Amino acid sequence: MANPSILILPGDGIGPEVMTEVRKVIDWLGARGHAFDVSEDLVGGAAYDKHGVPLADETMAHAQEVDAVLLGAVGGPAYDDLDFSVKPERGLLRLRKEMDLFANLRPAQCFDALADFSSLKPELVSGLDIMIVRELTAGVYFGEPRGIFEEGNERVGINTQRYSESEIERGARAAFELAMKRDKRLCSMEKANVMESGILWREVVTEVSKDYPEVELSHMYADNGAMQLVRAPKQFDVIYTDNLFGDILSDCAAMLTGSLGMLPSASLGAPMANGRPKAMYEPVHGSAPDITGQGKANPCACILSFAMALRYSFDLGDEATRLEAAVEKVLADGVRTADLMQAEGGSPVSTSEMGDAVVAALEASL
Ligand code: NAD
């Protein structure tokens, strides 16, 4: 059987630096019976420099064929003045749109060694492990009518929250499937008290739940959800919410865990012919131009994104857990990139030393 395929798109800024460390993990797995067919291509400013567009058509076509796309980051000051249509971010948005990646998975996991970095008290976040599933392709960011219109003697800005049953349902199924692989608890968040789309959301999620009797479903208004996330975040397992609320709630939950350099994400679409979902994995952070080329970037977010690929695209849950445990062990041993240093000091390791430490921890785990 052919090896599973991965398309790596390192992108701009620190993207290539952190992706080099992921390559070390891929090589380590390859030497231990889990080989991948890895190809690499350009996205963002790097693609613009070569092709005049932030994502070439051939790259897009290739992304549609592989089992998973792994993306670093796009953007940077050199591209800030480009026309909107060719800005680096357009490459990323094209991938999400054309692959129809409707479920955005944002874990908020707090490694014990980093509990002091959270804005909340360590006991509230230590051991935290939440998964937020945000519907990514519909809702108020896409609904029509939209625009700024003249009305009487002033202008009005309009955006439309619009959800069809099928859009709610497919994301809900992704969220329930995830809950089945975790603690079997799902909290759906909307504002059914003031929004019709919220009423429909609640009805559809309740209907889908009949297919997942083992999962305990609860409903919460999204504003209360925001409060609960900062009051007692450990009460949640999986949260399913719409595009707008998910945008805000996932950033809020992410900050509970400390550093941007630790946050992975996955975006999943419909199953392909081989049963694997269309998928793209990427760290939450951007291209960090302020530290590019200095060996300061923390590669953990990108490495943990690859762990999500192992779990959700390649059915290698044990290897994913091993990789996450390796990252946790390295942090527990006090190995830190600069972004994870406390004010009192110590000396940080470089991007490459962090990657090496994770691979060494993987090796030691055998
Ligand atoms: P950013 O995430 O690049 O950086 C914010 C801060 O966090 C910076 O101080 C940076 O040094 C630090 N940081 C980020 N990742 C880090 C890591 N792995 N290790 C250590 N420190 C890290 O956000 P920004 O500065 O607002 O944006 C910079 C560029 O990235 C912009 O062009 C923006 O459009 C782009 N961007 C891209 C994505 C993406 O590709 N998904 C996401 C956000 C921003």
Side-chain angles (χ1 to χ4, degrees):
M1 217 170 68
N3 294 329
S5 54
I6 302 177
L7 170 61
I8 291 188
L9 301 172
D12 308 319
I14 63 168
E17 299 170 38
V18 294
M19 206 55 92
T20 300
E21 306 313 308
V22 175
R23 284 272 197 169
K24 291 177 183 170
V25 175
I26 293 175
D27 290 347
W28 185 88
L29 282 169
R32 278 149 200 86
H34 298 297
F36 298 91
D37 282 341
V38 181
S39 49
E40 190 168 317
D41 212 330
L42 303 173
V43 70
Y48 177 81
D49 288 340
K50 179 145 187 235
H51 303 295
V53 286
L55 187 74
D57 290 344
E58 310 82 70
T59 315
M60 185 64 242
H62 191 194
Q64 297 281 21
E65 284 161 13
V66 292
D67 294 316
V69 175
L70 209 54
L71 186 135
V74 297
Y79 309 104
D80 282 350
D81 295 332
L82 288 181
D83 185 71
F84 183 72
S85 63
V86 288
K87 275 195 183 293
E89 292 75 13
R90 304 303 298 172
L92 185 54
L93 295 177
R94 182 175 178 197
L95 282 160
R96 287 182 185 155
K97 182 163 191 291
E98 294 193 20
M99 292 170 75
D100 199 13
L101 303 173
F102 56 80
N104 183 220
L105 278 50
R106 291 269 303 261
Q109 198 175 7
C110 184
F111 294 103
D112 283 350
L114 299 183
D116 283 341
F117 277 82
S118 173
S119 48
L120 296 190
K121 296 189 194 94
E123 63 269 26
L124 287 181
V125 291
S126 176
L128 179 77
D129 183 7
I130 305 175
M131 177 69 80
I132 298 194
V133 180
R134 165 188 171 195
E135 196 293 321
L136 200 60
T137 49
V140 74
Y141 292 166
F142 296 94
E144 299 281 347
R146 62 182 298 166
I148 300 175
F149 304 97
E150 298 288 337
E151 202 176 274
N153 57 1
E154 62 173 354
R155 295 179 303 157
V156 293
I158 295 181
N159 292 90
T160 302
Q161 168 83 336
R162 182 189 182 282
Y163 267 107
S164 68
E165 290 176 297
S166 57
E167 286 163 346
I168 300 168
E169 180 184 339
R170 63 184 190 168
R173 290 201 180 275
F176 276 106
E177 291 291 337
L178 274 171
M180 286 295 289
K181 291 184 181 163
R182 295 171 47 100
D183 200 32
K184 299 193 171 65
R185 289 181 296 121
L186 178 70
C187 182
S188 170
M189 294 188 188
E190 28 56 16
K191 282 190 62 82
N193 50 342
V194 286
M195 296 169 74
E196 284 75 7
S197 58
I199 295 173
L200 186 67
W201 183 279
R202 192 174 280 221
E203 282 176 16
V204 172
V205 173
T206 304
E207 192 59 33
V208 173
S209 75
K210 292 178 184 159
D211 292 339
Y212 300 89
E214 286 175 59
V215 177
E216 180 192 313
L217 172 66
S218 58
H219 302 275
M220 197 176 272
Y221 298 139
D223 49 343
N224 184 26
M227 282 198 288
Q228 296 299 329
L229 269 175
V230 291
R231 191 188 71 83
K234 284 195 249 181
Q235 68 184 286
F236 298 111
D237 177 26
V238 177
I239 293 172
Y240 176 46
T241 190
D242 78 11
N243 205 342
L244 173 62
F245 297 141
D247 194 357
I248 296 163
L249 293 170
S250 63
D251 272 7
C252 172
M255 274 304 105
L256 302 177
T257 69
S259 168
L260 201 48
M262 293 299 303
L263 298 170
S265 80
S267 300
L268 306 181
M272 299 183 282
N274 62 12
R276 296 190 168 114
K278 281 259 165 82
M280 181 158 76
Y281 300 88
E282 53 183 314
V284 168
H285 63 71
S287 58
D290 52 335
I291 57 166
T292 296
Q294 300 171 30
K296 287 184 181 167
N298 181 354
C300 288
C302 205
I303 290 173
L304 292 170
S305 300
F306 179 61
M308 294 183 81
L310 293 174
R311 181 170 289 121
Y312 300 120
S313 281
F314 303 123
D315 250 331
L316 293 172
D318 288 348
E319 303 311 316
T321 304
R322 184 189 292 281
L323 180 52
E324 287 158 355
V327 171
E328 180 152 28
K329 169 81 171 59
V330 164
L331 296 171
D333 287 348
V335 179
R336 300 273 198 277
T337 41
D339 56 309
L340 302 178
M341 301 297 296
Q342 298 283 29
E344 58 267 26
S347 46
V349 299
S350 67
T351 308
S352 147
E353 286 167 332
M354 185 55 123
D356 290 343
V358 171
V359 171
L362 279 172
E363 189 68 32
S365 72
L366 291 177

